[in-house]
């Protein structure tokens, strides 16, 4: 049975060129970048080159990029690092109800430390309102964290508009771009973004590596202490091989962004058309217009998500109920709850499809057909 | 090429790289995903955890994967301090710890904790009795490294752990980064509650590490998010890196069985040859030091000059620890051992792996002799 992987928002396979780059470094440039001999210097050069390319991909400068062990660490570092650095200006933070758990649970941690967090609601498409943000901004608001694109339903947030609002306010602006980076054009200056989190394994890079962009001049208290790596903001021997793999993945994703966007948009149509032809009852959670191209979340009335997932898996189709990071649980998605309320049936009958490397149009068609079969079976049609 | 800087980082074993590639290619799933592809990744993660636990003679549930030694040390120290601050706010450590321990503790000091850094003797060794003297009614944590990364002195972990058994409310953390796989310790016998290892120090990959947390001990997480690693360390698990680390640990322990004797011989050759050279002083104690670290000073030369001179002979050694070698400050450990700053400024570290050979040692010793002579002539 051919397995069809449509869960690229959970994690994605490494691109063969990325693996090649990583292995090359492991074999030929294994030095510690802090060593003063040539092994160290070569490794340092590789890290700096990668930093340059990552920085350019979002219109930033090299010294504004901090390597981390992934998206979760980047989000933690951003939120706690800013909150602690700016607490003398106030202890109020604004975020949203639909953030990834790396942000939400860090906000909870900050609440335990005496910060006050306002979680902005979203509309039925999963989008926050800029007016809501304006209403909730206070003199003691020090940080606003709104994700770029939602990982479960794909909805894009009004990042530029938020950036504009915050240009007139002293609060620092963080966005979790883990899911959007690589498929959405991002320029931190145009969008007024002060901090931005990225993870490599969502864009066909290695797991265990990510970066945090932090605008020059913004203070950040480090979280992991030790050696003086990453300009004293993140200690620990740099993961050189993965950093180089990350760079490779960024180069590829930037080159192919346009083509991928077109392809994934088309696949959404293929999926929808097929379901329509099969006369399946379904609803798109979120919005087709204001969404990232690779994520589509669909509600199938009359089904239940657990049985759907098991049956799809048995048919060789890997999809998910929402974020993989809710570590194995099928609790109702907090994102869908925020969109539809806790009593809506949609929070228990929705499936996320996410496209990526190695998928083909045929796979999408087949997945749609299998999905239709399962839905029919479950709804006794 | 002779690579004598294995305490800074090691070359990943070929099999380790192969494992990484295989897992990355065939089992790329997210272990938290419910589908088959995620399930397979989770299975591999579970197996790797079992393997690491078995190799360290502990339980699977006591191994937590992290992004490396620095994160493990930070997690151990801050995680316990914050969790148990109700018991007290005093921490004991030593003057020769790695910066990832010292700096984590310094951060706690800013949060209102008090710290005693117990000094070491001229061999760079802390005395268990001195640790005991430093204990107060509000001491909650003792953190002592197993093998000092700069001079190789082995610390009396078992003595300290045994002494601490009389103080059941004090947790014992050991930074085992330099020892793992090469100088084994039994965590339970030594009364260790938390223990740090780092993959890239034993031919695993950078960006991988683990923290042993004895069953029953709770710690406050450093990273919040998806609640991976039993709610202790959030973030998608680096499955390929973790599997590779388990393999590296197994291979290192295997190689130790046949290679440890040769390693000792190599160190002895180097020591004997170095001690014969006029102006060289070996700082690593003869007894009670790791068989792979040799620290020495060459009178009159700054360490950087000497490292670069040896590099021209294709021999790679280091000044002090890689993590602080960008700073121009003298070796912290040597200063703590009571050496004058001038000697500490000229300290060179040789650190071996099981891959180094006797021929390399003889050749390197010869080149070191020549280099000292040549540099001496230039300077006179």
């Amino acid at each position: 049975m051919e397995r069809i992987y449509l869960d690229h928002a959970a994690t994605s396979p490494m691109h063969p060129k990325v693996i090649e780059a990583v292995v090359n470094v492991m074999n030929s440039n294994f030095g510690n970048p802090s060593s003063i001999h040539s092994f160290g210097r070569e490794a340092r050069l590789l890290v700096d080159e990668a930093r340059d390319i990552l920085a350019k991909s979002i219109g930033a400068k090299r010294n504004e990029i901090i390597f981390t062990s992934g998206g979760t660490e980047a989000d933690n570092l951003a939120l706690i690092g800013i909150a602690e650095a700016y607490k003398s200006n106030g202890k109020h933070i604004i975020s949203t109800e639909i953030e990834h758990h790396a942000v939400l649970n860090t906000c909870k941690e900050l609440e335990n430390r005496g910060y006050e967090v306002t979680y902005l609601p979203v509309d039925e498409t999963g989008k926050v309102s800029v007016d809501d943000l304006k209403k909730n901004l206070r003199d003691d608001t020090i940080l606003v964290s709104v994700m770029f694109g939602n990982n479960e339903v794909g909805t894009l947030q009004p990042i530029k508009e938020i950036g504009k609002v915050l240009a007139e306010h002293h609060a620092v602006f963080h966005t979790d771009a883990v899911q959007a980076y690589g498929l959405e054009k991002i320029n931190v200056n145009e969008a007024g973004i002060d901090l931005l989190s990225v993870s490599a394994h969502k864009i066909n890079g290695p797991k265990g590596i990510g970066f945090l962009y932090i605008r020059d001049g913004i203070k950040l208290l480090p979280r992991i202490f030790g050696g003086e790596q990453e300009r004293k903001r993140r200690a620990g021997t740099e993961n050189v091989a993965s950093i180089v793999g990350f760079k490779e993945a960024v180069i590829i994703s930037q080159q192919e962004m346009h083509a991928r966007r077109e392809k994934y948009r088309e696949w959404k149509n293929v999926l929808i058309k097929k379901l329509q032809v099969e006369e399946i009852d379904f609803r798109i959670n979120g919005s087709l217009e204001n969404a990232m191209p690779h994520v589509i979340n669909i509600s199938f009335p009359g089904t239940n998500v657990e049985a759907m997932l098991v049956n799809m898996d048995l048919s060789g189709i890997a999809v998910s109920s929402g974020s993989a990071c809710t570590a194995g649980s099928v609790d109702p998605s907090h994102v869908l709850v925020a969109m539809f309320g806790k009593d809506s049936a949609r929070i228990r009958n929705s499936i996320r499809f996410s496209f990526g490397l190695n998928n083909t149009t045929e796979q999408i068609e087949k997945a749609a057909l299998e999905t239709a079969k399962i839905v029919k079976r479950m709804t006794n049609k | 090429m002779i690579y004598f800087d294995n305490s800074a980082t090691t070359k990943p074993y070929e099999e380790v790289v192969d494992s990484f590639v295989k897992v990355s290619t065939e089992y790329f799933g997210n272990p938290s995903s419910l589908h088959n592809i995620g399930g397979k990744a989770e299975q591999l993660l579970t197996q790797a955890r079992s393997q690491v636990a078995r190799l360290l003679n502990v339980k699977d549930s006591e191994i937590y994967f992290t992004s490396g030694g620095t994160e493990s040390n930070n997690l151990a120290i801050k995680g316990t301090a914050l969790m148990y601050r109700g018991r007290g706010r005093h921490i004991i450590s030593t003057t020769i710890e790695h910066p990832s321990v010292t700096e984590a503790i310094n951060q706690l000091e800013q949060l209102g904790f008090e710290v005693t850094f117990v000094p070491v003797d001229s061999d760079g060794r802390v005395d268990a009795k001195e640790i005991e003297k430093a204990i107060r009614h509000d001491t909650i944590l003792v953190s002592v490294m197993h093998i000092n990364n700069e001079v190789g002195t082995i610390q009396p972990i078992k003595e300290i752990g045994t002494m601490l058994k009389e103080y059941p409310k004090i947790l014992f953390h050991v930074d085992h980064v330099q020892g793992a796989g090469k100088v084994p310790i039994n965590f339970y016998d030594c009364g260790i509650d938390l223990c740090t290892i780092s993959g890239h120090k034993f031919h695993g990959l950078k960006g991988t590490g683990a923290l042993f947390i004895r069953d029953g001990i709770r710690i406050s997480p450093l990273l919040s998010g998806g609640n991976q690693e039993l709610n202790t360390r959030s973030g998608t698990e680096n499955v390929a890196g973790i599997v590779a680390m388990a393999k590296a640990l197994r291979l290192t322990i295997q190689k130790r069985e046949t290679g440890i004797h040769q390693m000792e011989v190599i160190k002895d050759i180097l020591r004997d040859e170095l001690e014969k050279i006029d102006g060289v002083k070996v700082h690593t104690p003869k007894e009670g030091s790791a068989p792979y670290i040799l620290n020495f000073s060459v009178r009159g030369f700054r360490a950087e000059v000497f490292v670069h001179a040896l590099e021209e002979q294709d021999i790679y050694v280091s000044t002090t620890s890689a993590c602080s070698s960008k700073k121009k400050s003298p070796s912290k450990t040597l200063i703590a051992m009571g050496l004058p700053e001038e000697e500490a400024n000229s300290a060179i570290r040789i650190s071996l792996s099981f891959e180094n050979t006797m021929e390399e040692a003889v050749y390197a010793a010869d080149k070191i002799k020549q280099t000292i002579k040549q540099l001496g002539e230039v300077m006179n």
Side-chain angles (χ1 to χ4, degrees):
Chain A
M1 179 177 61
E2 185 206 8
R3 292 198 171 278
I4 301 175
Y5 187 75
L6 297 179
D7 199 11
H8 293 265
T11 191
S12 62
M14 265 196 255
H15 193 287
K17 280 188 187 163
V18 172
I19 298 185
E20 199 186 308
V22 170
V23 168
N24 260 337
V25 175
M26 286 175 184
N27 289 327
S28 316
N29 308 95
F30 65 88
N32 184 326
S34 297
S35 293
I36 61 172
H37 48 61
S38 61
F39 281 88
R41 294 195 305 271
E42 277 166 23
R44 165 70 51 216
L45 197 66
L46 290 175
V47 171
D48 286 345
E49 278 173 9
R51 204 188 298 278
D52 253 353
I53 286 174
L54 269 46
K56 280 192 190 120
S57 74
I58 53 168
K61 288 176 282 189
R62 169 199 280 208
N63 63 357
E64 295 176 317
I65 302 293
I66 304 174
F67 285 109
T68 66
S69 68
T72 295
E73 187 188 328
D75 282 338
N76 273 257
L77 177 59
L79 268 62
I80 300 180
I82 292 296
E84 295 285 329
Y86 288 90
K87 63 182 166 193
S88 58
N89 295 350
K91 291 191 133 194
H92 181 237
I93 293 163
I94 298 176
S95 188
T96 80
E97 289 179 357
I98 52 141
E99 298 298 309
H100 187 272
H101 283 110
V103 167
L104 281 183
N105 286 342
T106 305
C107 284
K108 295 226 172 72
E109 163 68 18
L110 286 167
E111 286 181 280
N112 291 336
R113 294 187 190 186
Y115 291 82
E116 188 190 335
V117 183
T118 303
Y119 300 93
L120 299 178
V122 293
D123 63 16
E124 279 231 339
T125 70
K127 191 174 163 187
V128 295
S129 132
V130 179
D131 280 339
D132 262 353
L133 170 74
K134 281 188 199 156
K135 275 181 221 149
N136 282 285
L137 272 174
R138 312 190 315 216
D139 284 346
D140 63 341
T141 307
I142 52 170
L143 170 66
V144 173
S145 178
V146 177
M147 73 198 315
F148 203 101
N150 181 267
N151 54 313
E152 297 194 24
V153 295
T155 306
L156 287 162
Q157 301 304 326
I159 295 300
K160 264 191 195 165
E161 290 87 330
I162 295 174
K164 259 185 215 135
V165 170
L166 293 178
E168 313 288 317
H169 190 279
H170 57 75
V172 172
F173 182 25
H174 167 252
T175 184
D176 171 355
V178 165
Q179 209 55 250
Y181 180 83
L183 281 169
E184 295 295 331
K185 279 213 178 85
I186 301 175
N187 183 304
V188 289
N189 299 313
E190 285 170 14
I193 297 165
D194 298 315
L195 295 106
L196 175 136
S197 308
V198 171
S199 164
H201 78 97
K202 309 284 190 189
I203 58 158
N204 311 115
K207 292 184 180 60
I209 191 77
F211 76 76
L212 177 66
Y213 154 77
I214 172 163
R215 182 178 296 283
D216 251 356
I218 292 191
K219 289 182 290 178
L220 182 87
L221 283 193
R223 302 271 301 134
I224 295 180
F225 293 77
E228 298 192 348
Q229 293 93 345
E230 301 297 304
R231 304 172 77 226
K232 292 194 188 181
R233 295 178 297 189
R234 203 287 187 183
T237 300
E238 299 88 339
N239 186 351
V240 186
S242 295
I243 287 171
V244 172
F246 195 0
K247 175 193 86 174
E248 201 61 39
V250 167
I251 292 173
I252 296 167
S253 73
Q254 296 290 316
Q255 277 169 354
E256 296 188 358
M257 188 188 295
H258 182 70
R260 285 183 182 177
R261 287 177 63 87
E262 297 290 304
K263 195 157 67 177
Y264 299 164
R265 280 210 192 101
E266 178 53 30
W267 287 347
K268 278 193 189 180
N269 290 330
V270 169
L271 183 62
I272 290 167
K273 284 223 176 79
K274 196 89 188 166
L275 293 172
Q276 281 167 345
V277 169
E278 292 295 320
E279 299 184 331
I280 297 296
D281 182 16
F282 70 94
R283 284 171 188 76
I284 309 284
N285 295 324
S287 136
L288 277 178
E289 297 75 36
N290 178 44
M292 298 182 291
H294 66 307
V295 176
I296 180 165
N297 195 307
I298 305 178
S299 156
F300 297 100
T303 67
N304 97 41
V305 61
E306 273 126 275
M308 277 293 287
L309 288 177
V310 170
N311 280 291
M312 304 246 334
D313 194 27
L314 289 173
S315 307
I317 296 157
V319 292
S320 98
S321 60
S323 149
C325 301
T326 319
S329 73
V330 238
D331 289 340
S333 144
H334 66 284
V335 177
L336 297 179
V337 170
M339 287 161 66
F340 307 118
K342 63 179 174 20
D343 299 322
S344 166
R346 288 168 90 155
I347 67 170
R348 286 184 191 83
N349 63 20
S350 296
I351 297 288
R352 175 185 72 183
F353 301 78
S354 50
F355 312 132
L357 187 70
N358 301 333
N359 286 147
T360 60
T361 309
E362 293 69 40
Q363 285 186 335
I364 308 304
E365 281 168 354
K366 175 147 191 263
L369 197 65
E370 291 295 330
T371 307
K373 272 194 220 163
I374 293 164
V375 172
K376 281 180 191 167
R377 210 158 61 220
M378 288 180 67
T379 52
N380 289 321
K381 267 194 180 170
Chain B
M1 189 268 287
I2 300 178
Y3 186 74
F4 274 174
D5 196 11
N6 289 284
S7 288
T9 192
T10 56
K11 183 169 196 249
Y13 287 136
E14 214 179 297
E15 299 91 324
V16 166
V17 177
D18 290 346
S19 280
F20 176 84
V21 171
K22 192 172 164 61
V23 176
S24 300
T25 321
E26 293 171 30
Y27 306 97
F28 68 88
N30 185 327
S32 297
S33 292
L34 295 170
H35 48 66
N36 181 284
I37 293 168
K40 280 186 183 156
E42 192 194 14
Q43 216 175 347
L44 277 183
L45 182 66
T46 307
Q47 282 168 10
R49 198 186 307 280
S50 279
Q51 190 177 18
V52 170
R54 214 165 43 240
L55 291 167
L56 298 174
N57 293 308
V58 299
K59 286 181 252 169
D60 296 9
S61 56
E62 295 174 320
I63 297 296
Y64 297 80
F65 294 115
T66 68
S67 70
T70 293
E71 186 189 328
S72 288
N73 279 339
N74 273 259
L75 177 60
I77 290 165
K78 292 188 275 192
T80 49
L82 295 177
M83 181 59 80
Y84 294 99
R85 65 184 150 190
R87 282 185 191 171
R89 293 191 155 227
H90 181 237
I91 296 167
I92 298 171
S93 190
T94 79
T95 51
I96 57 154
E97 298 298 314
H98 187 268
S100 56
V101 166
T102 316
E103 295 299 320
I105 291 176
N106 286 343
Q107 191 204 1
L108 286 172
E109 258 187 306
Q110 289 175 8
L111 296 176
F113 287 82
E114 287 176 47
V115 191
T116 308
F117 289 109
V118 177
V120 295
D121 64 15
S122 59
D123 278 351
R125 192 172 291 111
V126 73
D127 187 338
K129 289 192 203 82
E130 295 300 315
I131 300 266
E132 187 164 21
K133 274 190 214 157
I135 291 176
R136 311 191 320 204
H137 70 281
D138 60 344
T139 305
I140 53 171
L141 177 68
V142 171
S143 179
V144 178
M145 74 199 317
H146 173 219
I147 288 169
N148 176 268
N149 55 314
E150 296 190 56
V151 297
T153 307
I154 301 176
Q155 304 302 322
I157 296 302
K158 194 164 183 184
E159 262 182 87
I160 297 169
T162 308
M163 174 274 288
L164 285 174
K165 282 180 182 162
E166 303 296 314
Y167 303 87
K169 283 196 174 162
I170 301 177
L171 295 176
F172 185 28
H173 167 247
V174 173
D175 173 357
H176 188 38
V177 166
Q178 290 296 341
K182 292 174 290 191
V183 181
I185 42 176
N186 185 304
F187 298 179
Y188 297 144
D189 290 352
C190 294
I192 296 170
D193 297 304
L194 302 114
C195 191
T196 298
I197 67 169
S198 164
H200 79 99
K201 305 286 188 186
F202 49 81
H203 308 275
L205 304 177
K206 292 181 183 64
T208 61
L211 180 65
F212 157 81
I213 307 176
R214 196 167 52 74
D215 264 356
I217 292 170
R218 289 176 308 141
I219 66 173
S220 168
L222 211 56
L223 297 178
S224 308
N227 291 338
Q228 289 91 345
E229 298 294 306
L230 296 170
N231 298 334
T232 297
R233 201 283 185 184
S234 289
T236 300
E237 301 89 339
N238 178 0
V239 185
I242 288 168
V243 171
M245 175 168 72
K247 174 156 266 181
L249 186 59
R250 180 172 68 76
L251 289 172
T252 302
I253 289 172
Q254 253 173 27
K255 285 179 198 253
R256 179 180 182 277
E257 283 171 20
T258 50
I260 192 78
H261 178 66
Q262 172 173 302
M263 191 182 246
E264 280 161 2
V265 174
I266 292 175
K267 188 181 160 192
D268 286 345
I269 292 174
L270 285 167
R271 176 189 282 277
D272 290 347
E273 291 301 317
L274 287 170
E275 280 177 340
K276 280 185 213 158
I277 305 172
D278 191 36
V280 168
K281 186 175 165 198
V282 176
H283 304 304
T284 300
K286 210 163 185 135
E287 303 296 327
S289 64
Y292 43 84
I293 296 180
L294 203 57
N295 189 307
F296 62 96
S297 295
V298 186
R299 192 171 53 220
F301 301 129
R302 281 199 69 87
E304 291 79 21
V305 175
F306 202 76
V307 167
H308 291 310
L310 279 182
E311 192 179 343
E312 278 172 29
Q313 314 280 341
D314 222 10
I315 298 169
Y316 299 87
V317 298
S318 76
T319 50
T320 56
S321 96
C323 300
S324 51
S325 56
K326 292 265 143 162
K327 286 185 286 188
K328 292 287 177 206
S329 53
S331 153
K332 193 176 78 168
T333 305
L334 294 175
I335 296 290
M337 285 160 66
L339 264 62
E341 199 167 313
E342 197 199 332
E343 267 180 42
N345 275 330
S346 60
I348 299 289
R349 177 185 69 184
I350 287 176
S351 47
L352 309 170
S353 77
F354 293 122
E355 308 301 301
N356 292 125
T357 64
M358 229 96 83
E359 291 72 33
E360 286 180 335
V362 173
Y363 178 84
D366 195 46
K367 290 291 176 195
I368 290 171
K369 246 182 279 182
Q370 278 181 28
T371 305
I372 291 173
K373 195 161 165 253
Q374 281 162 3
L375 282 178
E377 279 163 6
V378 172
M379 294 180 73
N380 291 323

